[in-house]
Amino acid sequence: MRVPKRIQGSTTRPLLITLIVVIVIAALGFIYASPYIAVNNLKRAADARDVQTVNSYVDFPALRESLKQQVADMLTRRLGADNGNKMATIGAMIGVTLIGPLVDAYATPDGVAALLNGMPPRGNPGEQPAPPPAAGTEGQAAPPAGNNANQANAEPPARETTAGYRGLNEFVITYRRGEGNANYSAIFRREGLITWKLAAINLNE
């Protein structure tokens, strides 16, 4: 029996609308999740020293400029807090002259891996990015030296990592530890609709 055209149309239209709604929801979900995907892909590539993939997820000129400014600000604050400690002041002044080499060391796949594993630059002369932690030890630190058994067995402060949007075109990962450890954030910026790149570091989060 031939189905009337009116019935065919009334059946097809709701299915088409439902399909369009599903596609739109899926697309919006993918767009929302795109920075999380970018961060995960970049961290894996940086840990594996996959230079080509790292380059596709990092805006190195912007990152270098951010690192230069942040390290300079960090050393300036250190100079202001020395309160007459001449040796500390001399050390900080030496550090200022070494901003360029430090930035060069961190604006690399090794440096990106360190930044995404919670190991930012400290502004020390001759500083190099720390290697990423071994599998299963991420966020842990070496036990403190000393003969005190309780001290040796004490666990280091756990690192807390939070991630989320800070505006429509900015996505931020914030790293926090216990007291006495600097907090900082890695800032990703949108390029296009679903492309995100590491573009800045905030060492005074």
Side-chain angles (χ1 to χ4, degrees):
M1 184 178 68
R2 188 174 180 181
V3 179
K5 290 184 178 180
R6 182 177 297 178
I7 297 177
Q8 286 181 330
S10 62
T11 303
T12 304
R13 190 174 296 111
L15 291 176
L16 182 59
I17 293 174
T18 300
L19 180 60
I20 292 173
V21 170
V22 169
I23 292 174
V24 169
I25 292 174
L28 291 175
F30 181 74
I31 292 171
Y32 178 83
S34 59
Y36 295 92
I37 296 171
V39 170
N40 183 63
N41 290 343
L42 174 57
K43 189 176 184 308
R44 291 184 179 218
D47 288 345
R49 303 306 188 271
D50 180 350
V51 176
Q52 184 174 355
T53 302
V54 169
N55 288 341
S56 68
Y57 283 103
V58 180
D59 183 345
F60 276 110
L63 180 62
R64 288 176 61 85
E65 190 62 30
S66 174
L67 281 166
K68 183 178 179 180
Q69 183 63 49
Q70 289 292 311
V71 173
D73 289 348
M74 178 172 59
L75 292 173
T76 299
R77 291 193 301 271
R78 189 178 299 173
L79 283 170
D82 285 339
N83 296 324
N85 187 333
K86 293 183 179 180
M87 292 303 296
T89 300
I90 291 172
M93 292 177 65
I94 293 174
V96 169
T97 67
L98 298 178
I99 288 177
L102 190 151
V103 170
D104 290 340
Y106 273 85
T108 62
D110 285 346
V112 171
L115 292 171
L116 296 182
N117 279 294
M119 296 175 283
R122 302 295 182 185
N124 299 319
E127 182 178 358
Q128 293 292 319
T137 63
E138 184 176 345
Q140 298 181 8
N147 296 325
N148 188 315
N150 292 331
Q151 181 183 15
N153 292 329
E155 294 185 2
R159 189 184 77 226
E160 296 181 5
T161 304
T162 57
Y165 281 88
R166 189 180 290 175
L168 184 62
N169 297 315
E170 193 168 273
F171 185 84
V172 179
I173 307 173
T174 302
Y175 301 83
R176 291 187 175 89
R177 286 187 184 272
E179 293 185 12
N181 293 276
N183 302 327
Y184 76 103
S185 61
I187 301 168
F188 287 72
R189 297 199 172 107
R190 187 195 298 271
E191 292 189 2
L193 187 61
I194 60 173
T195 301
W196 294 82
K197 289 189 176 183
L198 176 63
I201 295 293
N202 187 342
L203 297 177
N204 191 34
E205 187 69 21

